[in-house]
Amino acid sequence: MTVKAYAAEAADQPLGPHAIERREAGPDDVVIEIAFCGVCHSDLHTVRGEWGGTLYPCVPGHEIVGTVSAVGSAVTRFAPGDTVGVGCIVDSCRTCSACGEGLEQFCANGMTGTYNSPTPDAPGHTLGGYSERIVVDQAYVLAIRHPKEQLAAVAPLLCAGITTWSPLRHWQAGPGKRVGVVGIGGLGHMAVKLARALGAEVTAFTTNPAKRDTILALGAHHVVVSTDKAEMKAARETLDLIINTVSHSHDLDPYLLTLTRDGTMVMVGGPERPHPMPTLFHFLMRRRSLAGSLIGGIAETQEMLDFCAEHGVVSDIELIRMEEIEGAYQRMLRSDVRYRFVIDNSTL
């Protein structure tokens, strides 16, 4: 089927209207009419070829919310009219140990991303949510239980939400745990909301003291201005877990010092170049750890969506028209968004 989309033809070309082909629904497929698609920093990097390996035409978008319009003959989990989501994964090998444990993001044979992954479908790679329709195997489709008026703000949960939920759950954030969040942007503001909803005591780090009240309103119990030496000193050895969402290279040492004995800092932001090597003695003297985390598996993503629906958690967004995407990219580069852009796909 021919579908309207927004695509980039090359790294130096802006996104623009483009006709793409979607497969007809097979027995296990779900056809989804896309209502909203969140805009992730990875969309921008991929479109512009900044991470290498971009396949063109590139249709980004992996924070998808929409309505089921048709299902294949073997589909049992969804029916036409259902509100559903699609995140960063649309397939995996299903046979390796990671897939068997519900950790499809770590598939030993390589997960299939929602865009820019090789596929038998034309044009030979996956095409994402900057489009009017997508066809996905039912095993990788997620149920959305939020009310209709929140659906646009649900879209970023499919990436920003699960990227921060997964380490919070793995390192057991909850009552009695003290969690720090570095970088209060698209990922960071979700980490604050989710850690607070899980019952943890939340400390947010920011470089801008003017954001203190706004960050407290997100749910943080404490705000530390990271450029203030006195505040950073007072925060030393007060945290059990840090979720570091910053996507540019920076000094990790000041944040490591805020971890207590056996504390862990988890990196979820991908920098443009490696971080400076942290001081080894900061690890040795308190048995601290530095770790990484990547999105989440399908079951864990569904768990996160259900938790957010129950607790009324959504992203803070700015809704845009599809033709505004290039301007949105420019604003993202200036950190001029609070906190996530979401495309209204009806404007295609």
Side-chain angles (χ1 to χ4, degrees):
M1 64 184 87
T2 301
V3 171
K4 291 189 292 184
Y6 248 52
E9 298 282 1
D12 59 353
Q13 296 294 315
L15 288 155
H18 193 86
I20 63 172
E21 296 298 316
R22 297 288 194 196
R23 68 177 184 267
E24 297 293 336
D28 292 303
D29 284 334
V30 177
V31 183
I32 303 164
E33 306 300 316
I34 302 174
F36 304 104
C37 184
V39 180
C40 180
H41 258 282
S42 58
D43 299 351
L44 186 158
H45 293 308
T46 304
V47 162
R48 298 185 176 187
E50 293 171 352
W51 288 346
T54 301
L55 303 169
Y56 296 97
C58 178
V59 178
H62 56 206
E63 299 178 345
I64 297 167
V65 172
T67 303
V68 176
S69 59
V71 297
S73 58
V75 172
T76 58
R77 298 177 55 225
F78 302 100
D82 287 350
T83 302
V84 296
V86 177
C88 304
I89 308 172
V90 293
D91 205 355
S92 61
C93 80
R94 314 188 198 199
T95 59
C96 71
S97 60
C99 288
E101 295 175 48
L103 300 171
E104 295 92 346
Q105 74 272 34
F106 301 125
C107 176
N109 296 300
M111 71 173 185
T112 300
T114 305
Y115 65 89
N116 204 52
S117 283
T119 176
D121 302 337
H125 57 273
T126 51
L127 303 168
Y130 293 15
S131 57
E132 63 178 343
R133 186 177 301 120
I134 194 167
V135 182
V136 181
D137 187 293
Q138 66 172 334
Y140 299 85
V141 178
L142 299 144
I144 303 292
R145 297 184 172 90
H146 286 73
K148 183 177 180 180
E149 61 271 17
Q150 292 184 332
L151 293 183
V154 167
L157 300 182
L158 278 304
C159 177
I162 187 57
T163 296
T164 50
W165 173 265
S166 187
L168 287 169
R169 292 289 282 165
H170 182 77
W171 277 273
Q172 300 178 335
K177 284 291 184 78
R178 299 164 298 175
V179 176
V181 179
V182 182
I184 312 303
L187 291 175
H189 94 287
M190 288 309 312
V192 169
K193 289 187 176 192
L194 291 170
R196 176 63 183 257
L198 284 165
E201 181 179 340
V202 184
T203 297
F205 294 89
T206 180
T207 58
N208 187 352
K211 292 184 177 179
R212 192 182 301 270
D213 289 344
T214 301
I215 295 170
L216 290 171
L218 291 173
H221 295 89
H222 317 286
V223 176
V224 174
V225 178
S226 59
T227 53
D228 187 312
K229 292 182 179 180
E231 290 194 24
M232 289 297 287
K233 184 176 181 180
R236 286 189 178 184
E237 300 196 39
T238 62
L239 301 173
D240 304 302
L241 173 67
I242 294 173
I243 307 297
N244 189 324
T245 72
V246 177
S247 58
H248 61 79
S249 180
H250 62 285
D251 185 4
L252 304 181
D253 280 344
Y255 303 108
L256 286 169
L257 290 172
T258 68
L259 289 170
T260 189
R261 175 174 50 82
D262 293 322
T264 301
M265 178 156 67
V266 185
M267 311 300 292
V268 297
E272 79 288 5
R273 62 182 186 278
H275 299 294
M277 179 64 184
T279 302
L280 181 59
F281 280 96
H282 293 339
F283 299 100
L284 299 181
M285 301 304 291
R286 292 293 185 272
R287 201 162 60 189
R288 298 177 176 114
S289 299
L290 184 64
S293 184
L294 175 71
I295 52 174
I298 299 302
E300 189 173 46
T301 305
Q302 188 64 65
E303 174 193 63
M304 177 271 304
L305 288 168
D306 293 345
F307 177 90
C308 289
E310 180 182 351
H311 291 84
V313 176
V314 293
S315 183
D316 287 17
I317 69 164
E318 181 176 337
L319 194 62
I320 62 171
R321 298 175 61 84
M322 186 65 79
E323 63 263 28
E324 296 177 294
I325 188 61
E326 285 294 332
Y329 280 4
Q330 292 299 321
R331 287 180 55 190
M332 287 165 63
L333 291 171
R334 301 194 302 268
S335 298
D336 179 24
V337 53
R338 189 178 294 173
Y339 289 93
R340 204 73 160 183
F341 287 116
V342 173
I343 299 165
D344 178 352
N345 285 48
S346 70
T347 62
L348 259 168

